[in-house]
Amino acid sequence: MRVFLTGGAGYIGSHTLLEVLSEAHEVCVYDDYSNSSPHALTRVEQLTNRKFDVVQGDILDQSGLAAALVTFKPDVVVHFAGKKAVGESVEKPLMYYENNVVGTLSLLRAMEAADCNRIVFSSSATVYGTPQYLPLDENHPLSATNPYGQTKLMVEHILRDWCGARPAATAVLLRYFNPVGAHDSGIIGEDPNDIPNNLMPFVSQVAVGRREKLQVFGNDYDTPDGTGVRDYIHVVDLAKAHAAAISFASAHTGCEAINVGTGRGSSVLDVVRAFEAASGRVVPYEVVQRRAGDVATYCALPEKARNLLGWQAKRDLADMCASAWKWQSQNPDGYKD
Ligand code: WQD
């Protein structure tokens, strides 16, 4: 198949690129490098010894996007390109609505110009809002507690309506839980701009000495050790879920939302302990007040992914931490020269 990856140089995009190339697909990456590095693409080429097309461009440049799609003629688009920091979305909501919502409309118009009817969308479990029950299945009520989550919810509705109007169309909405870790080689990985918002990259930077200590955002939640519990999923398992979604999209029409998680929860202190075991380093931390908007527990019910995609996560928290540490220790400054 011919696969077009928007945001293919990013953290999850580059791991999916590697997986898709290893399945002998023809690939084109479209990325503006606003939150990624071209070095990631060079390293994927080294790892796979496979060539692929690359177009540097903005998701909002509809004519440039249409030209790239008409030239490449993809069978399916995997849409990673978008802003993804909850806190930043509260400060800059218009940037989030423009990039994530208008950007997706720009992509869909360009896809129609190129007669491409299949999309796999990088959605997020954040569309479940505050859990009304656990584990979270795909029928859980949807809501948003911040502009970032609102953009994911809006795009899901847009894709559902797009499929409703186009009998030949397919949209697979992959609701990620908490992606962490890196490719086993340690050659590609997560390289956040500035101070990491997320737990794993922050812990990793403390372990390698880039940060002094971790702030644990509250230990008074209704969880086994009082700290927040999340469903962490290895980024390689997540990449394999995308490859399975691409196959599914080639054989089905309509719109399907699918959780991508392990079904297992780990607390903040579980992650700290697992990372110390994987790295052999101490991760100092101090408990501070809760972070606004956080909830106690988020955990997936992963049955639908197994039933529909024939996919399930295989890697555990120790694998996630070991791979994250290998990437971080081999690349203390990420992709920066
Ligand atoms: C995990 C746990 C924190 C940092 C977010 C988005 C979600 C998705 C993944 C994009 C929580 C605690 C964290 C720190 C801490 N993003 N924590 N100290 O909030 O579950 O999900 O990222 O798709 O949409 O909402 O992930 O890694 O930020 O937090 O104690 O320095 O770690 O309170 O319990 P989160 P996270």
Side-chain angles (χ1 to χ4, degrees):
M1 289 182 74
R2 299 183 66 79
V3 183
F4 190 91
L5 302 182
T6 73
Y11 171 42
I12 300 166
S14 57
H15 284 82
T16 302
L17 171 62
L18 192 151
E19 193 61 35
V20 167
L21 286 169
S22 66
E23 296 189 358
H25 293 291
E26 296 303 313
V27 185
C28 178
V29 169
Y30 186 88
D31 204 306
D32 65 1
Y33 305 128
S34 61
N35 189 25
S36 59
S37 168
H39 295 313
L41 301 180
T42 308
R43 295 188 184 191
V44 169
E45 188 174 339
Q46 290 165 355
L47 282 167
T48 59
N49 196 26
R50 288 287 312 278
K51 295 286 185 190
F52 50 91
D53 297 347
V54 181
V55 175
Q56 182 173 352
D58 186 333
I59 195 76
L60 292 167
D61 172 10
Q62 186 177 320
S63 60
L65 195 46
L69 285 162
V70 167
T71 302
F72 184 70
K73 297 185 179 54
D75 299 301
V76 59
V77 171
V78 185
H79 183 29
F80 293 107
K83 303 290 182 184
K84 63 174 185 174
V86 171
E88 185 185 49
S89 78
V90 175
E91 292 164 20
K92 303 173 182 174
L94 298 187
M95 180 176 83
Y96 272 69
Y97 287 114
E98 186 166 40
N99 274 277
N100 293 3
V101 182
V102 179
T104 303
L105 290 174
S106 166
L107 174 61
L108 291 171
R109 285 290 189 202
M111 285 173 63
E112 290 182 346
D115 195 27
C116 178
N117 292 309
R118 300 185 185 93
I119 186 169
V120 175
F121 172 58
S122 169
S123 190
S124 168
T126 200
V127 301
Y128 293 122
T130 302
Q132 293 176 21
Y133 59 80
L134 288 165
L136 295 159
D137 64 15
E138 289 84 354
N139 298 318
H140 185 282
L142 304 179
S143 67
T145 55
N146 54 70
Y148 162 74
Q150 198 66 263
T151 68
K152 292 298 185 182
L153 201 46
M154 286 179 178
V155 171
E156 289 203 2
H157 288 310
I158 288 167
L159 290 173
R160 200 171 293 283
D161 289 343
W162 182 68
C163 286
R166 289 170 73 87
T170 309
V172 182
L173 318 176
L174 294 182
R175 292 173 178 165
Y176 305 167
F177 279 71
N178 289 62
V180 295
H183 185 256
D184 299 345
S185 65
I187 291 176
I188 59 173
E190 185 173 13
D191 184 20
N193 290 337
D194 308 322
I195 301 173
N197 299 299
N198 297 135
L199 178 66
M200 186 68 86
F202 200 104
V203 166
S204 184
Q205 289 188 10
V206 170
V208 81
R210 273 179 67 178
R211 309 265 172 216
E212 182 198 348
K213 62 183 168 185
L214 170 72
Q215 290 189 316
V216 175
F217 297 145
N219 66 352
D220 58 351
Y221 285 104
D222 182 15
T223 63
D225 65 15
T227 64
V229 171
R230 296 292 183 272
D231 186 333
Y232 297 97
I233 177 165
H234 196 296
V235 67
V236 172
D237 279 329
L238 181 58
K240 290 178 182 299
H242 285 79
I246 287 167
S247 299
F248 177 84
S250 69
H252 296 82
T253 57
C255 183
E256 285 290 356
I258 301 176
N259 285 344
V260 190
T262 68
R264 293 188 303 276
S266 301
S267 74
V268 174
L269 296 183
D270 289 335
V271 171
V272 169
R273 277 189 287 274
F275 207 95
E276 289 182 328
S279 63
R281 301 287 179 91
V282 174
V283 177
Y285 67 85
E286 65 169 331
V287 178
V288 297
Q289 65 180 13
R290 295 181 176 190
R291 179 173 64 177
D294 277 357
V295 296
T297 301
Y298 243 73
C299 217
L301 184 73
E303 299 317 308
K304 185 173 179 182
R306 185 161 57 199
N307 296 336
L308 236 55
L309 303 181
W311 169 92
Q312 66 182 54
K314 292 185 167 48
R315 292 160 180 81
D316 63 15
L317 186 61
D319 300 324
M320 296 173 208
C321 292
S323 64
W325 175 242
K326 187 170 183 181
W327 153 256
Q328 185 74 79
S329 56
Q330 288 180 179
N331 305 272
D333 293 320
Y335 291 114
K336 294 163 189 64
D337 290 327

